[in-house]
Amino acid sequence: MSSQVRGGRRAAWIGAGAIAAAAGLSAMPPPADAKPVRAEVVVAGDWRNGTMRALRSAYGDQVAFRRARTDAQARRMLRRANARRPGRSDDRALVVDAREVGVKRLSRSRAVRAALQAGNWLIVLNAGPNARRTALARHVGSATPGHTVVTAVRRGERPGGQPDVEVVDFLAPAASSRPGARAARRAVQRRYAKRLYRTIASDRPAARAAAGGEASNPVPASLLTARWRITTVGSPVLRWPSLNSDTPKGDAWRSWRQTPMVSSTQTFTAYLSNDTTVAPGGTGPEGPTQYLYWELDGTVSPILDPSRKDQFIRDPLAGGWQDNRGWWTASVDAGIRPPAGLTLRKSAPVTPNSITQYTSGTTFSIGFAATAGYTGGQVGGGNIGGSINASYSYSDTVTREIPDWGVRSRTSGNHAAWTFFSKSPCDASGGVATIIANEGPRKCFAGQGTGWLGNHQKPMAVNDLSGATMDFHASALWQTSGLMTEVVEFTPQIDVTMAWTWWGGLGRDKHPNSESFARKCPLRCSMVQVERFDGLRIPNTDQPHERIAIDLGAVVPVGVERITFHEREGGPALDTSEPLWIGTANQRSVVACVTLARPAPAGLRLPVGTTNLDNFYADGTMSIPFRGRSGCFPVSLKANRLGRCEAITAEVGTFYARPHIVPLTIRSGSPAQCRDEAAEAGGGDDAGIAVPEPDGDVGVALPPAGSA
């Protein structure tokens, strides 16, 4: 490894199999038992980031770090890496430090654009919301809030070619110079590095895309849809309470820190509904609308390593047990508020099925226009044509077990919201007030006259979900009142409440309502302390909840301006006012090129076809890149069942929310051949080769697809 140090900043780069060590060492060949390289990382320019250092330190033998001094060099290195392994673009990444390059350079970076177009991960370090909105939103159609230490972005395709964007935000840990806080922050960075490694080296988007409600009913190619999967990972640093100075070792706790971890994945899926009316909602007589389905999958743990069971009181007979305590998860408030113009159709969970179960997910259907082949009036049928009414159904209802927890729906109007709360032994259904209500054997504390030696203040052991990992899930479906072509903003909420239940030890074993307890702890001793933090913005601020921007225009077709035919892609357009001759071989290939009225709102893969498969053949899909305006596909022309010099007309085109087709006429044989035959028949040079007029002009402007 070589290491460069200047101005107090260290930029370190390692090759495959090298391990980060002291500066100045050369790269060593990997040992025989080295693990295989799982990912390649190209770092453009200088960087400073604790999470990346932790990634390099922990996974340096499985992630190949390569340095690029310039934007152009980074682009070339990625291009070569993609060429070596063309089918694995999702395990290569470009890394850019926004604090080093600045927002303008990040916005104009050709390497950034190339990485996203190739399906590589883009990892942006130390980027505020303005930098991500300015530099990334125009590429991926979404923008996320909050200050992040690492943001990983990838723009891919779903199985049907629809846009599929993934964003993983690692929120900045709280900054503090205290010794305990520094150690906690390093622990968070190591945890972040593990998650980042799984993102670029293990988590396969294609595998995740096949999961859920689409597994049994894949999205059809004719349905315009786009998906954004946004994951936010954060970890606050919580101090252990020290207000109860009478507690043994209370002074030592002042430097102790606890680092909960909260991870939430919000999946936004937009659909264009431009045809039949279905339940719920539907398009009705007012025309096309959009559906937006939101799924929330979250996890919260009071400690970085949920397998540690010694954080909480478990055994009062164990040595030092009164110090075995910690913050535990009391409740999670989750929800999302849509922008104006969206009406809530469904949400889940509606109500809990029981104290230990709830059902998340939902079922819905989308009506849309689908491509349809002609079955009558055309020779040989066809594989594209007038649209038909179609319906796509989605279902992902799942019953989940939450022992000792409950969930309450707080959905109101178009705002979907829920509270997940601990119920046993600590009841947080009513907030802190219900936790403090500690009488009785099944509350947070042992009641008077119960417990070991009458320990009235001894906390009960927290349940497994509160002390380890609590998962929470919810979903909501909205419908627009009309086509929305702009970027809209949603306001999500993930608020986590952590609680601490006190016990003062044997020397202070008094019931909290007793006179003795009141004398020992006037005003400053509380049986319960609570910390609440925003899981989407750490550290907390006093600003309103942040918003997530989603481009609903990604599922609104922009309209086809023209379709032209060429001998080869990039060549001049053919004159189709007269029939195209098939030639003496009675077959010919041309290229049909589609030009959009304006740049594509997302990467497109459009079905193509013809209305006569015997003489005109085009099949499969045509690609138009994000913000591109044109794409081409081959058309095979044959003289099957045509008489010598006979002409026939069919339609050729693509399907983009509706058919966009133009007529094309072909004639068997060649001009010279047909003239000779006509002359031999005594009919003159032009006899027998009259060309039927096409049904319409090729290349004329068509109405925009959005008006269908």
Side-chain angles (χ1 to χ4, degrees):
M1 181 197 78
S2 62
S3 178
Q4 183 179 9
V5 181
R6 69 176 186 275
R9 302 175 181 177
R10 189 178 76 166
W13 322 94
I14 61 176
I19 300 176
L25 294 182
S26 301
M28 299 296 292
D33 60 348
K35 296 179 181 179
V37 172
R38 301 289 301 277
E40 295 180 73
V41 172
V42 175
V43 190
D46 297 329
W47 62 276
R48 289 189 302 167
N49 188 270
T51 298
M52 285 298 293
R53 285 195 298 270
L55 176 71
R56 182 192 61 194
S57 176
Y59 301 98
D61 57 344
Q62 300 170 66
V63 179
F65 283 73
R66 311 190 189 282
R67 181 183 187 183
R69 292 183 177 275
T70 65
D71 188 80
Q73 186 182 17
R75 191 171 70 254
R76 289 193 298 269
M77 294 174 70
L78 275 177
R79 186 168 58 244
R80 288 194 295 267
N82 290 327
R84 286 195 306 270
R85 301 167 67 190
R88 299 293 295 274
S89 61
D90 58 334
D91 60 10
R92 284 177 287 279
L94 172 69
V95 178
V96 182
D97 191 332
R99 193 163 48 195
E100 297 290 333
V101 302
V103 176
K104 286 186 177 180
R105 287 175 57 193
L106 187 62
S107 303
R108 299 170 182 172
S109 169
R110 297 178 64 185
V112 166
R113 183 169 62 250
L116 291 172
Q117 289 177 348
N120 301 140
W121 284 98
L122 171 65
I123 299 177
V124 183
L125 310 178
N126 308 312
N130 179 59
R132 299 200 305 280
R133 186 181 302 110
T134 303
L136 302 182
R138 62 193 185 96
H139 293 295
V140 297
S142 65
T144 55
H147 182 77
T148 63
V149 290
V150 174
T151 291
V153 182
R154 182 177 183 270
R155 196 180 73 207
E157 287 186 348
R158 304 171 78 180
Q162 298 90 346
D164 188 12
V165 174
E166 292 194 82
V167 180
V168 183
D169 284 335
F170 296 86
L171 299 176
S176 175
S177 60
R178 299 189 179 190
R182 286 199 298 267
R185 189 165 59 251
R186 286 193 294 269
V188 171
Q189 291 167 349
R190 290 192 294 270
R191 196 71 177 180
Y192 279 4
K194 183 176 182 179
R195 180 64 179 270
L196 180 59
Y197 171 74
R198 294 206 319 265
T199 298
I200 63 176
S202 300
D203 290 350
R204 297 298 172 210
R208 291 196 299 275
E214 296 175 4
S216 59
N217 190 13
V219 177
S222 300
L223 174 59
L224 290 189
T225 179
R227 179 169 61 188
W228 297 266
R229 190 192 305 269
I230 299 170
T231 299
T232 307
V233 183
S235 180
V237 178
L238 303 184
R239 296 179 59 186
W240 279 28
S242 58
L243 293 178
N244 190 347
S245 60
D246 290 332
T247 301
K249 300 184 181 179
D251 292 338
W253 290 358
R254 295 180 187 275
S255 63
W256 287 20
R257 300 293 186 272
Q258 189 170 328
T259 48
M261 177 70 77
V262 58
S263 173
S264 59
T265 298
Q266 301 177 77
T267 304
F268 297 82
T269 308
Y271 301 91
L272 175 67
S273 179
N274 62 345
D275 205 69
T276 188
T277 299
V278 295
T283 62
E286 66 272 10
T289 64
Q290 293 137 301
Y291 284 93
L292 193 288
Y293 183 50
W294 173 80
E295 302 165 88
L296 172 65
D297 298 285
T299 298
V300 59
S301 169
I303 48 179
L304 288 177
D305 184 1
S307 64
R308 285 189 58 191
K309 297 295 186 180
D310 60 344
Q311 283 286 117
F312 305 97
I313 296 173
R314 297 288 176 177
D315 183 6
L317 297 180
W321 68 275
Q322 68 270 25
D323 295 339
N324 253 356
R325 62 187 69 242
W327 294 101
W328 50 270
T329 308
S331 64
V332 178
D333 290 306
I336 186 167
R337 188 181 299 277
L342 274 73
T343 301
L344 184 67
R345 295 299 186 186
K346 284 189 173 185
S347 66
V350 180
T351 56
N353 296 336
S354 70
I355 192 173
T356 61
Q357 290 183 341
Y358 71 95
T359 300
S360 67
T362 191
T363 299
F364 59 87
S365 295
I366 302 294
F368 66 100
T371 180
Y374 291 159
T375 57
Q378 299 289 334
V379 178
N383 60 353
I384 198 168
S387 63
I388 60 171
N389 296 343
S391 177
Y392 168 70
S393 297
Y394 180 96
S395 178
D396 69 342
T397 56
V398 178
T399 299
R400 305 181 187 275
E401 301 288 336
I402 50 170
D404 301 309
W405 273 64
V407 58
R408 179 184 301 113
S409 174
R410 297 184 290 108
T411 297
S412 176
N414 296 322
H415 177 204
W418 303 264
T419 296
F420 298 83
F421 51 87
S422 170
K423 289 186 65 68
S424 175
C426 290
D427 184 0
S429 60
V432 180
T434 55
I435 300 176
I436 297 177
N438 52 45
E439 292 297 333
R442 294 297 293 168
K443 303 288 183 172
C444 289
F445 301 86
Q448 186 172 7
T450 64
W452 181 54
L453 298 180
N455 296 323
H456 312 301
Q457 302 175 42
K458 182 174 73 66
M460 301 286 284
V462 298
N463 63 70
D464 288 338
L465 295 184
S466 292
T469 300
M470 168 60 191
D471 295 336
F472 52 95
H473 308 268
S475 63
L477 176 71
W478 294 274
Q479 184 184 10
T480 64
S481 56
L483 277 184
M484 301 182 72
T485 62
E486 68 276 12
V487 174
V488 298
E489 292 184 329
F490 292 81
T491 307
Q493 174 194 10
I494 307 291
D495 286 340
V496 179
T497 299
M498 292 284 168
W500 182 293
T501 41
W502 281 102
W503 183 65
L506 294 177
R508 284 147 296 280
D509 180 24
K510 300 297 180 182
H511 193 273
N513 295 332
S514 69
E515 181 181 351
S516 175
F517 182 83
R519 278 200 312 272
K520 287 181 176 292
C521 298
L523 303 178
R524 60 191 181 88
C525 288
S526 173
M527 294 295 290
V528 177
Q529 289 189 229
V530 173
E531 286 281 354
R532 188 176 176 89
F533 61 88
D534 184 344
L536 298 175
R537 183 181 52 194
I538 299 171
N540 290 330
T541 69
D542 295 331
Q543 300 299 318
H545 282 289
E546 303 281 5
R547 292 174 290 182
I548 292 178
I550 299 294
D551 185 6
L552 288 183
V555 295
V556 177
V558 300
V560 175
E561 184 176 276
R562 61 181 179 273
I563 300 177
T564 55
F565 297 91
H566 309 256
E567 288 289 354
R568 64 184 182 279
E569 189 172 346
L574 298 172
D575 180 7
T576 55
S577 61
E578 298 289 334
L580 297 181
W581 292 95
I582 297 299
T584 56
N586 281 327
Q587 63 180 15
R588 179 180 179 183
S589 292
V590 296
V591 174
C593 292
V594 177
T595 301
L596 301 180
R598 60 182 185 272
L604 304 176
R605 191 190 300 170
L606 307 176
V608 300
T610 68
T611 56
N612 176 340
L613 297 179
D614 272 356
N615 306 103
F616 305 76
Y617 185 79
D619 194 19
T621 59
M622 172 198 67
S623 296
I624 298 180
F626 173 62
R627 297 197 178 277
R629 284 198 59 190
S630 63
C632 301
F633 60 94
V635 182
S636 177
L637 309 174
K638 297 183 179 180
N640 294 333
R641 289 198 285 268
L642 291 183
R644 190 178 296 275
C645 303
E646 183 182 357
I648 189 171
T649 301
E651 291 170 323
V652 180
T654 186
F655 191 92
Y656 186 16
R658 68 179 181 85
H660 295 268
I661 51 180
V662 294
L664 179 65
T665 302
I666 61 173
R667 184 184 292 278
S668 65
S670 65
Q673 182 186 44
C674 292
R675 278 196 300 269
D676 291 344
E677 291 187 1
E680 290 176 2
D685 289 345
D686 296 330
I689 59 170
V691 179
E693 292 293 330
D695 295 337
D697 293 334
V698 176
V700 299
L702 297 178
S707 62

